[in-house]
Amino acid sequence: MNAAYVAAAAPLLGSILLLAGHRRLREPLAGWIVVALGFVSFGASVYLWVAEVGRAAGHKTVDLGIFRWLPVNHLQVSFGLQVDPLSVFFCLFVTGVSSLIFLYSIGYMHGDPSFPRFFFYLSLFLFSMVTLVLADNFLFMFLGWEGVGFCSYGLIGFWFERNRAAVAAKKAFVTNRVGDFGFMIALYLMYEHFGSFNFSRVLGPLMHGATLGAGFATALGLMLLLGACGKSAQFPLYMWLPDAMEGPTPISALIHAATMVTAGVYLLARSAPILHFSGTTQWVVACVGIATAFVASTIACTETDIKRILAYSTLAEIGFMFLAEGSGDFTSALFLTVTHAFFKALLFLSAGAVIHALADEQDIWHMGGLRKYLPLTFGAFFIGYLALSAVPPLSGWWSHEAVLEAAYHKNVGLWIVGVLVDGLTAYYMSREVMLVFFGGARWKENRPSPAQEAAGAAEGHGHGEPHDAPWTMSVPLVVLAIGAVVGGIIDLPFGGLDFLTKFLAPVFPTSVVPAFPLANATKLWIGVAGTCVNLIGLILGILAWREGVPRPVLEPSFFRHGWYIDEGVADAVAGPLALAADAVAYDVDRGLVDRFVNDVAGVTAGTGRQLRRIQTGYVRTYALGIGAGALAILIYAVARLGG
Amino acid sequence: MRVPAEWYLVVALMLFVIGATGLLIRRNILVMFMCVELMLNAVNLTFVTFSRTLNDISGQAAVFFVLVVAAAEVVVGLGIIVAIFRRRAEATADDVHILKG
Amino acid sequence: MRGADALAALHAALRLVAYNGVNSPHSEHLQAPADWAVFLVGGAFILAGALGVVTLRNPVHCALFLVITLFGVAIEFIDLNADFLAAVQIIVYAGAIVILFLFVIMFLGVDRKERVAAERFPLQRPLALLLGLGVFILILVLTAVTGNWTTGAHSLSGSLGSPSSPTGGAQGDVARLGQAIYTRYLLPFEMTSALLVIAIVAAVVLARSRHRVAGELSSEEQAAIQHSAEVTR
């Protein structure tokens, strides 16, 4: 029994238990079951990791079949798991972060009437995510891919009685479908060319000398990129992620920051051998990443919702990961993925604690001065802030610098924009910290009336002064804060301490991911320049927003409206598409489909109306019918005699 | 001088046909019931005839069961008729036609 | 005792008719096939009674003619060596069922004539006659052309004792029928007892007048039916 099975089966068991026992398993038992099984899954992942480290070079990949899924002629698709450094790496941090956030959710979701449903989705999500990263073929992976998409939909719309949440869920779902079309087209191309979906059949040969035509590689790579863009919320399919903040905060932390949105990063990293044969795709990936990062960062500078700022920052960070992948440095991308998981989850969870303490207030202009009331939350948020702003020597700094080095190697222009984005990040995070935790306590002005407060107290929120959260919410904060501070040690770029690089080396052999040596002097120069820009942004942000006074000059409406991209898309879609939809609805649907259906019904009803006359209600007439039937049978028998 | 089995069957057939025709023609529910009894008797006669010709006692056993079922049927049927007649002073089968579509 | 005596007397009388004046139940002639005379007498009873049931207007007369038919069938049973069934036929049918019919007729006081004129479905009578005639002719044809078209195969389970064997004969048939019913057909036999109990209960429920009788309709239901009938129209 391989630990990989356990890692996948434990959360599945959790979701099945909650589904089957949804009447009996209420708060808090349902939550604890899921948390326990999440930790089981995490333990299994740790075991996998230890085993993987211990395996001899050249035997790093283990394929575990479960059963044949679609045996169609020569297309054989299996349900199978593949254990290799990349999947183990993802499995490890996904299950780890998930378990912590599950624990946090027990406190955060306390008192919610749909508590078990929430944990059902969480467990199902973890199962799907583990399936996604452990699958041994692209089709099975797509199953997990859709699974996490479904859970994301269900959790964004968890409070579906709020219209905004329901709309946001729909938006996320539809946008993801666009990306999924890309993924599916990529699957068709793959089948057409390789006749298989298995990593060992598709990617294996490419790693060992086989080549791929540039045109085909570009087509395949771009379709995979489209899929990755949908799931990872990259330009142009990024609009759903800020709206996804309508979901509960643990969901924003887990799914829409730490894990699910990195599925696109995983997909591209997995497809590294394909990207290798298409320079165009690499460029497109890098440009998509940097463009998303830049746009998102500028929008974040003017956003006023505590969670939406973080959402835009997530877009930027994932953009950085794409930038690294496009620049041919997958290890840095994954390094950033894991450190980002730590500090962004930390930021979201502390933001959740703030929201929790202020009775669901999310506007940073209605906060301020909270560091005195929420010392622990403040500490956690501050650490996350420093890490995200790439202040040395926190984990964010190491990973950002690694990405920027790769970008510099690819193109100086990419690097310049990247540094600018980093500076912007430091600036808007300073703004958020200043407005939320420093300055005057603006939330006191907007305190609800006593009656409303009483109602809030009945729900368990907003009673008296804001205070720190219970231990189930604090413990994950502390653990993640430690990870955010020291996470950098997993891949230090000197002294042979680049553990992650070494661990992942078998997945990214130099045959498909060439190394790019940079002179030490250059590295130093890049690092110093980047760090300086960061610190300038940081200080500017602190200075500008220290007093908590609105400064309209610094919040241009162009950015505040998200570059008008959302509106633009809405208009573009609403114009011709709405016309077409109207045509379909009124002409085709009503005139053709409905008419057909109505006619069928009409003919049936008419026939019935005529046939009803036979049923006179006179028993003797019915008996006559029976007699006629008997006579018919006899006539048939006699006719047969004659024949 | 033995009577061939076919003659018994012919008599049974005639009895059956008369009963069936009567069922279709008569409108008095009681008489229709009697016609049903005629048909049952016709079948019984064939059973016994075949039992004799095939040298098989099962035919007679079947008649025994038919008798029992016929008795039960008459009891229930007459109960229903009484119930109907109690509501309507005058009733034929055609007056009970509520069950039409 | 009186019942048993009456049964014995009836039995003797039936034998007298069926076996054409041969008195001794144990004589050799008993096993000899009955002749045409007995068969024809029985057949005449049957057909005359049946035609009477179908044609007579008065239900009381119909019931009396039904007795004649049942009596004729009993004669044919004895002719076929089914003594027990013949006795049961008389006791159950003529003695119980027909009495029940008559009782109901008298009880309800519906011994008046049918309204022949108002036939709801005008073709009912001619079609019924045609149908009866058609079935009769077709079955005759089938029987004449093929001897075994009904079943297609002969059955031979639990064979009847040979008429000439010492244990056979009229008494033997009764013994064998008893054996068959209480061994091979025991379960169906027990089920008939349940059926009879159910029928008795059903009759009691149906005929009880104090409460609402099953089959009767409440005033609301009648109103609903009335309404739906109007809508249909």
Side-chain angles (χ1 to χ4, degrees):
Chain A
M1 184 77 187
N2 195 291
Y5 295 137
V6 180
L12 178 64
L13 177 68
S15 55
I16 291 172
L17 276 179
L18 257 57
L19 199 61
H22 69 109
R23 285 179 196 284
R24 301 250 175 80
L25 295 174
R26 308 303 300 187
E27 183 184 0
L29 182 61
W32 286 112
I33 289 174
V34 170
V35 169
L37 288 168
F39 276 104
V40 166
S41 184
F42 176 59
S45 306
V46 171
Y47 180 84
L48 274 180
W49 172 65
V50 171
E52 191 66 28
V53 169
R55 265 190 210 108
H59 298 87
K60 290 286 191 190
T61 301
V62 180
D63 210 338
L64 305 163
I66 298 178
F67 63 88
R68 289 203 316 186
W69 179 22
L70 303 173
V72 186
N73 200 4
H74 44 263
L75 171 66
Q76 301 283 335
V77 184
S78 61
F79 264 29
L81 305 180
Q82 171 170 313
V83 179
D84 67 357
L86 182 60
S87 57
V88 169
F89 164 77
F90 259 91
C91 209
L92 196 59
F93 96 82
V94 164
T95 54
V97 174
S98 296
S99 306
L100 286 175
I101 294 177
F102 289 0
L103 184 62
Y104 177 92
S105 304
I106 287 185
Y108 191 86
M109 297 306 289
H110 172 71
D112 194 291
S114 299
F115 190 87
R117 177 162 59 95
F118 183 80
F119 278 89
F120 161 71
Y121 276 130
L122 278 188
S123 205
L124 189 65
F125 165 77
L126 183 56
F127 166 68
S128 306
M129 192 71 204
V130 170
T131 311
L132 197 165
V133 297
L134 280 177
D136 74 341
N137 63 70
F138 280 99
L139 199 58
F140 191 26
M141 178 178 163
F142 188 58
L143 208 63
W145 184 273
E146 291 298 325
V148 291
F150 165 71
C151 293
S152 160
Y153 166 76
L155 286 165
I156 295 171
F158 181 73
W159 289 313
F160 53 80
E161 62 274 15
R162 300 181 189 167
N163 189 41
R164 283 163 57 92
V167 170
K170 248 185 302 184
K171 188 171 178 181
F173 200 74
V174 171
T175 314
N176 265 297
R177 288 280 80 67
V178 178
D180 291 343
F181 276 120
F183 198 149
M184 282 193 271
I185 292 170
L187 286 175
Y188 301 144
L189 288 174
M190 225 175 263
Y191 173 64
E192 185 63 26
H193 192 268
F194 301 100
S196 172
F197 298 122
N198 267 44
F199 294 156
S200 54
R201 294 268 304 277
V202 175
L203 304 174
L206 298 178
M207 287 192 189
H208 301 103
T211 57
L212 207 56
F216 179 75
T218 304
L220 187 53
L222 287 180
M223 285 304 128
L224 287 171
L225 173 65
L226 183 59
C229 282
K231 193 61 79 192
S232 292
Q234 292 298 292
F235 189 84
L237 300 177
Y238 71 92
M239 294 91 72
W240 66 270
L241 188 61
D243 288 0
M245 297 301 122
E246 289 297 329
T249 306
I251 296 315
S252 311
L254 176 64
I255 298 184
H256 304 120
T259 54
M260 185 192 84
V261 287
T262 61
V265 179
Y266 170 75
L267 176 64
L268 291 182
R270 183 56 85 190
S271 313
I274 295 170
L275 299 188
H276 173 64
F277 291 99
S278 170
T280 316
T281 308
Q282 290 178 18
W283 263 105
V284 175
V285 170
C287 290
V288 163
I290 197 71
T292 313
F294 184 71
V295 172
S297 298
T298 53
I299 298 172
C301 291
T302 59
E303 185 57 61
T304 59
D305 184 308
I306 185 170
K307 279 172 72 182
R308 285 175 73 94
I309 295 176
L310 296 176
Y312 280 113
S313 142
T314 302
L315 293 180
E317 294 296 305
I318 297 171
F320 261 49
M321 297 170 206
F322 274 49
L323 172 64
E325 289 183 325
S327 307
D329 187 355
F330 291 93
T331 313
S332 298
L334 299 177
F335 183 30
L336 180 57
T337 303
V338 70
T339 56
H340 173 253
F342 281 128
F343 59 68
K344 189 52 66 62
L346 178 65
L347 283 168
F348 265 117
L349 295 189
S350 356
V354 171
I355 295 167
H356 199 77
L358 289 181
D360 294 339
E361 179 57 68
Q362 301 204 3
D363 191 336
I364 53 175
W365 284 107
H366 295 158
M367 299 179 179
L370 283 172
R371 74 177 184 285
K372 294 190 212 89
Y373 300 95
L374 309 168
L376 182 83
T377 308
F378 168 66
F381 197 92
F382 200 76
I383 290 170
Y385 152 61
L386 293 182
L388 174 56
S389 307
V391 172
L394 275 68
S395 60
W397 183 68
W398 295 108
S399 44
H400 275 133
E401 290 312 315
V403 170
L404 286 175
E405 274 177 25
Y408 180 85
H409 170 74
K410 182 86 178 168
N411 186 289
V412 182
L414 290 177
W415 176 77
I416 292 172
V417 182
V419 169
L420 190 61
V421 168
D422 245 6
L424 281 173
T425 306
Y427 164 76
Y428 66 70
M429 283 312 294
S430 301
R431 170 176 177 263
E432 183 170 18
V433 168
M434 288 300 131
L435 289 179
V436 172
F437 290 102
F438 293 88
R442 292 183 302 279
W443 48 271
K444 284 186 177 163
E445 301 153 20
N446 299 308
R447 271 325 244 184
S449 66
Q452 281 171 317
E453 196 165 349
E459 289 166 16
H461 294 294
H463 38 87
E465 298 277 283
H467 56 83
D468 270 328
W471 73 269
T472 48
M473 290 166 73
S474 319
V475 168
L477 287 183
V478 172
V479 175
L480 287 170
I482 295 170
V485 172
V486 302
I489 58 167
I490 62 171
D491 202 37
L492 298 179
F494 53 80
L497 295 175
D498 49 347
F499 303 112
L500 186 63
T501 309
K502 284 181 192 157
F503 181 67
L504 290 174
V507 194
F508 304 121
T510 47
S511 58
V512 293
V513 183
F516 51 92
L518 280 179
N520 277 339
T522 319
K523 279 188 186 175
L524 192 67
W525 180 82
I526 294 171
V528 170
T531 311
C532 286
V533 173
N534 281 351
L535 292 177
I536 291 168
L538 196 78
I539 292 163
L540 278 179
I542 292 173
L543 291 178
W545 301 100
R546 186 182 40 175
E547 288 137 18
V549 182
R551 291 177 198 279
V553 182
L554 293 176
E555 295 178 336
S557 67
F558 181 68
F559 291 159
R560 208 167 49 233
H561 286 93
W563 293 38
Y564 293 104
I565 290 174
D566 235 1
E567 286 91 336
V569 170
D571 288 346
V573 171
L577 201 64
L579 276 180
D582 275 355
V584 170
Y586 292 109
D587 299 339
V588 178
D589 196 52
R590 201 167 293 172
L592 213 68
V593 180
D594 282 6
R595 174 123 185 256
F596 176 72
V597 172
N598 287 340
D599 284 356
V600 167
V603 168
T604 312
T607 314
R609 227 175 331 234
Q610 297 305 317
L611 283 177
R612 203 181 60 183
R613 296 184 178 191
I614 296 174
Q615 217 175 355
T616 54
Y618 299 126
V619 182
R620 293 160 60 247
T621 318
Y622 298 166
L624 200 64
I626 296 174
L631 192 67
I633 291 173
L634 285 171
I635 289 171
Y636 170 72
V638 171
R640 253 177 37 143
L641 280 183
Chain B
M1 193 164 65
R2 181 162 194 166
V3 182
E6 284 78 8
W7 287 98
Y8 289 99
L9 294 180
V10 169
V11 170
L13 173 62
M14 290 167 80
L15 180 55
F16 185 86
V17 169
I18 292 170
T21 314
L23 185 73
L24 295 178
I25 291 175
R26 299 302 299 259
R27 278 182 291 170
N28 187 317
I29 304 177
L30 281 163
V31 178
M32 286 169 72
F33 238 100
M34 294 177 200
C35 292
V36 172
E37 298 303 323
L38 293 182
M39 292 160 76
L40 283 171
N41 269 282
V43 175
N44 280 353
L45 190 53
T46 61
F47 264 127
V48 176
T49 307
F50 283 124
S51 168
R52 184 81 264 164
T53 52
L54 299 176
N55 224 15
D56 188 336
I57 199 72
S58 302
Q60 294 195 21
V63 172
F64 178 79
F65 291 120
V66 170
L67 279 172
V68 176
V69 173
E73 172 225 338
V74 166
V75 168
V76 177
L78 287 178
I80 293 172
I81 290 170
V82 168
I84 293 172
F85 272 59
R86 195 175 275 147
R87 286 185 59 242
R88 299 159 167 267
E90 182 186 20
T92 68
D94 288 350
D95 293 331
V96 189
H97 62 276
I98 294 169
L99 288 177
K100 76 170 176 182
Chain C
M1 283 304 287
R2 277 182 57 200
D5 288 347
L7 186 59
L10 189 70
H11 201 191
L14 280 172
R15 286 198 172 277
L16 200 64
V17 177
Y19 294 104
N20 204 12
V22 179
N23 269 322
S24 167
H26 296 293
S27 79
E28 273 300 302
H29 295 289
L30 272 185
Q31 274 73 42
D35 67 8
W36 282 91
V38 178
F39 168 74
L40 287 178
V41 169
F45 271 43
I46 290 173
L47 294 181
L51 287 173
V53 170
V54 174
T55 51
L56 290 177
R57 296 274 170 87
N58 192 326
V60 179
H61 297 167
C62 293
L64 294 177
F65 271 88
L66 180 61
V67 176
I68 294 177
T69 300
L70 300 175
F71 200 75
V73 172
I75 292 172
E76 303 288 30
F77 280 180
I78 291 176
D79 203 13
L80 290 163
N81 266 11
D83 291 17
F84 177 74
L85 290 180
V88 172
Q89 173 87 3
I90 297 297
I91 295 165
V92 173
Y93 262 118
I97 293 179
V98 176
I99 297 301
L100 203 58
F101 269 111
L102 284 171
F103 185 73
V104 169
I105 294 167
M106 299 303 178
F107 175 71
L108 293 171
V110 289
D111 52 342
R112 66 194 125 198
K113 297 175 176 65
E114 285 175 36
R115 292 166 301 159
V116 187
E119 180 69 74
R120 307 268 182 164
F121 180 53
L123 292 177
Q124 178 87 19
R125 265 162 195 262
L127 275 182
L129 289 171
L130 198 69
L131 221 116
L133 206 64
V135 169
F136 178 67
I137 292 169
L138 286 173
I139 293 183
L140 267 189
V141 168
L142 282 168
T143 321
V145 175
T146 63
N148 59 348
W149 73 278
T150 37
T151 58
H154 294 222
S155 159
L156 269 182
S157 69
S159 71
L160 229 48
S162 159
S164 57
S165 72
T167 55
Q171 314 292 324
D173 269 14
V174 177
R176 278 169 198 283
L177 181 59
Q179 268 180 2
I181 285 174
Y182 287 107
T183 54
R184 188 183 160 97
Y185 299 105
L186 184 61
L187 184 63
F189 176 71
E190 293 298 337
M191 280 161 66
T192 57
S193 64
L195 180 70
L196 286 173
V197 171
I198 292 167
I200 290 167
V201 172
V204 169
V205 170
L206 284 170
R208 202 168 46 161
S209 64
R210 212 148 39 100
H211 298 292
R212 201 184 139 207
V213 177
E216 261 190 353
L217 301 168
S218 68
S219 55
E220 299 95 66
E221 282 168 332
Q222 283 181 357
I225 290 162
Q226 201 72 38
H227 177 71
S228 72
E230 279 162 17
V231 169
T232 320
R233 234 173 267 134

